[in-house]
Amino acid sequence: MAPTGRGTGLPELPSARIDAVWRAAAPHLARRRFFTVAAAATVLAFGTGLPARGAMAAPRLNARRITENPFTLGVASGDPLPDAVVLWTRLAPAPYEPDGGLGQEQVSVNWEVALDDLFVIVVREGVALAHPEYAHSVHVDVQGLTPDTTYYYRFTVGTWVSPQGRTRTAPAEGSAVSSLRLAAVACQAYHDGYYTAYRHLAQEDIDLVFHLGDYLYEYPVNSVGGERGYAEGTLPDAYNRETMTLTDYRMRYALYRSDEDLQAAHATHPFVVAWDDHETENNYAGAVPENDVPPEEFLLRRAAAYRAYWENQPLRAAQLPQGPDARLYRRLHWGDLSQFDVLDTRQYRSDQAYGDRPHVPGPESDDPARTLTGDAQERWLIEGWQASNALWNVVPQQVLFCQRNFDVTDPPKVSMDAWDGYRASRNRVVAGAKAAGLANWIVLTGDVHVGYALDIKDNFDDPASRTLGTELACTSITSGKDGADKPVNWEAHLRANPHMKFYNGKRGYLRMELDREAARSDFRTVSAVTTPGAPVTTAASFVTEAGDPGLKPA
């Protein structure tokens, strides 16, 4: 279904003026030689548009004046704890306009959490303010909930009632848990096709969804929505350019979130989200952009991208960016069954070696000082493993962890953007996993637009070496268009990587069930995304038995 909304122009609204303020900061950054993230964050503080208080606060809008549905972007929940969960919505009666159609006024939003979908047994309720400085997004961190419980939630503004959402809390930390059903998704280029996979995911009986990056793409989207093939002129010209400013990123999220299939998945399941590169810019590395622009200019762009990401995701205040910096890596638990260490492999990494081209590993890429996670996150990960009492230790992250040789030449080329381009960093993480005695280690990966199932080896160049864990890459929702069951390099990849047990190039998602005995993984794929309504099927299933790392066909 083509999205709905009104407005195609870009008037000089306050949101556009905020962009101008941020751009004006760049010369000051250059003159003062503020080339570090921390220094840039200090200079950016004046321009980030935090909500004012008291007499300086934005005026309050009378909700009765809202004459069009403000819930065009749906609802979402995320990061469930045993006693809390984050609820999200963003008010946008005109989602294709820079201010969402609400100007620069605050809006009071009522919220309710109930044990039933008729909202007879309401257990929590309150009022939140949708601030214009946060693009009228609402983040409610609902506290005092019961562990391991399903809840229903909704928002109201004036006479408008949001779509109903369903969420759940995690089991009490350390409590005995028999099973968990989760899904992993990534890479959803709007212009590459329909979100049919999300419609099927909304119908799955699962507890939790991990989004592993590329929720947004910065590339232009033309008026027909690319491969979606809407009627000419359906989308405003404002989308037909690369995202650069805060207004650009906010509007692009409005486009993505206007999709009904994506809304259905968010309304049905709590999400745990982490970004990769395209939420900001393709293949950026820390403070180093892909394109040849001054570092201070890129940090302004990164600050805008990070801010818009937080505004449009069910994240807590702890993840609110400070300028171009945000603490997105975090840890969640599911009773005694699983610990989830969610990584950020983009914000802290060293620049890609060898010009970010496929390359044989060498002195530049293998420099021991190079890092994919940054020192602090690496220590946090390994220390978390050392303290873990969970049966399964799962690492949701972005780029391929296992070695992936592109061909059978000796020596073979590998990706400089994945962990292969940061082998010293990977070796430290592997050593940390071994030292912590991880018996059941699973890595969940996005980015590559294909489904992979791989054994994590002690020595990837020796197929007979010890298997330490399992990596599962979840393919894309749409990125890469329809794809193929067997891409052109299918045979070469499998021959060059004996630890690769499965490779499929169709679109879809990964479904996984963890229990006390095993982890079962199902690669769910759709036949096409360039046309809507494709059926879903299971391309392959694997089992990893507890205490016996390695993949076996189910």
Side-chain angles (χ1 to χ4, degrees), residues 401-405 420 423 426-431 433-434 441 443 453-471 496-501 548-551:
F401 185 82
C402 284
Q403 180 172 295
R404 179 183 52 160
N405 297 328
D420 277 337
R423 296 200 301 182
R426 181 170 62 196
N427 289 342
R428 292 191 296 269
V429 169
V430 168
K434 291 164 64 176
W441 177 23
V443 175
L454 309 103
D455 287 339
I456 302 173
K457 304 297 289 187
D458 201 8
N459 179 357
F460 287 108
D461 293 324
D462 179 8
S465 68
R466 178 185 170 196
T467 298
L468 303 176
T470 298
E471 181 176 16
N497 301 282
H499 54 286
M500 183 182 291
K501 308 303 180 184
D548 185 16
L551 292 155

Side-chain angles (χ1 to χ4, degrees), residues 59-111:
R60 193 77 56 88
L61 175 66
N62 184 341
R64 288 177 294 182
R65 291 170 49 199
I66 300 177
T67 59
E68 296 183 63
N69 176 22
F71 297 111
T72 58
L73 306 183
V75 299
S77 69
D79 279 23
L81 303 177
D83 63 348
V85 69
V86 179
L87 307 182
W88 174 93
T89 192
R90 178 182 163 197
L91 308 182
Y96 296 167
E97 293 185 2
D99 65 353
L102 288 175
Q104 295 302 300
E105 295 177 288
Q106 300 178 17
V107 181
S108 294
V109 182
N110 295 285
W111 57 269

Side-chain angles (χ1 to χ4, degrees), residues 327 329 331 343-344 348 371-384 428:
R327 168 70 181 265
Y329 64 88
R331 181 170 292 123
L343 300 189
D344 174 358
Y348 312 104
T371 178
L372 192 67
T373 62
D375 293 340
Q377 185 178 192
E378 181 180 292
R379 289 194 302 271
W380 168 87
L381 174 64
I382 294 172
E383 289 170 0
R428 292 191 296 269

Side-chain angles (χ1 to χ4, degrees), residues 204-338:
E204 297 272 15
D205 181 18
I206 59 173
D207 301 306
L208 198 59
V209 177
F210 288 91
H211 198 294
L212 305 177
D214 294 345
Y215 192 100
L216 181 88
Y217 278 70
E218 76 276 27
Y219 303 137
V221 180
N222 62 22
S223 70
V224 302
E227 293 297 318
R228 294 186 175 219
Y230 301 147
E232 189 72 35
T234 296
L235 300 181
D237 290 341
Y239 288 121
N240 200 17
R241 63 180 182 229
E242 186 166 337
T243 54
M244 300 295 294
T245 69
L246 181 58
T247 297
D248 290 340
Y249 285 106
R250 284 172 168 173
M251 290 185 66
R252 192 62 56 88
Y253 278 108
L255 174 64
Y256 276 55
R257 279 201 167 270
S258 68
D259 184 274
E260 293 181 354
D261 292 340
L262 177 59
Q263 289 186 21
H266 272 296
T268 308
H269 309 302
F271 272 56
V272 176
V273 300
W275 55 43
D276 192 18
D277 53 339
H278 287 290
E279 290 90 350
T280 301
E281 179 193 58
N282 177 59
N283 279 19
Y284 80 92
V288 181
E290 176 190 38
N291 299 313
D292 187 19
V293 300
E296 66 275 8
E297 182 178 324
F298 174 69
L299 288 178
L300 289 168
R301 180 181 184 180
R302 199 177 93 172
Y306 283 12
R307 172 66 167 269
Y309 184 86
W310 181 86
E311 290 173 347
N312 287 278
Q313 299 292 357
L315 290 166
R316 289 188 164 83
Q319 277 68 59
L320 176 64
Q322 301 298 312
D325 185 32
R327 168 70 181 265
L328 200 63
Y329 64 88
R330 58 208 189 277
R331 181 170 292 123
L332 300 170
H333 297 89
W334 207 262
D336 68 346
L337 183 66
S338 183

Side-chain angles (χ1 to χ4, degrees), residues 79-83 148 169-175 177 180 208 210 272 330-342 380 384-385 387-394:
D79 279 23
L81 303 177
D83 63 348
D148 201 16
T169 50
E173 189 168 344
S175 63
V177 175
L180 162 67
L208 198 59
F210 288 91
V272 176
R330 58 208 189 277
R331 181 170 292 123
L332 300 170
H333 297 89
W334 207 262
D336 68 346
L337 183 66
S338 183
Q339 175 173 298
F340 297 103
D341 296 294
V342 183
W380 168 87
W385 283 341
S388 175
N389 293 314
L391 177 62
W392 297 95
N393 285 276
V394 182

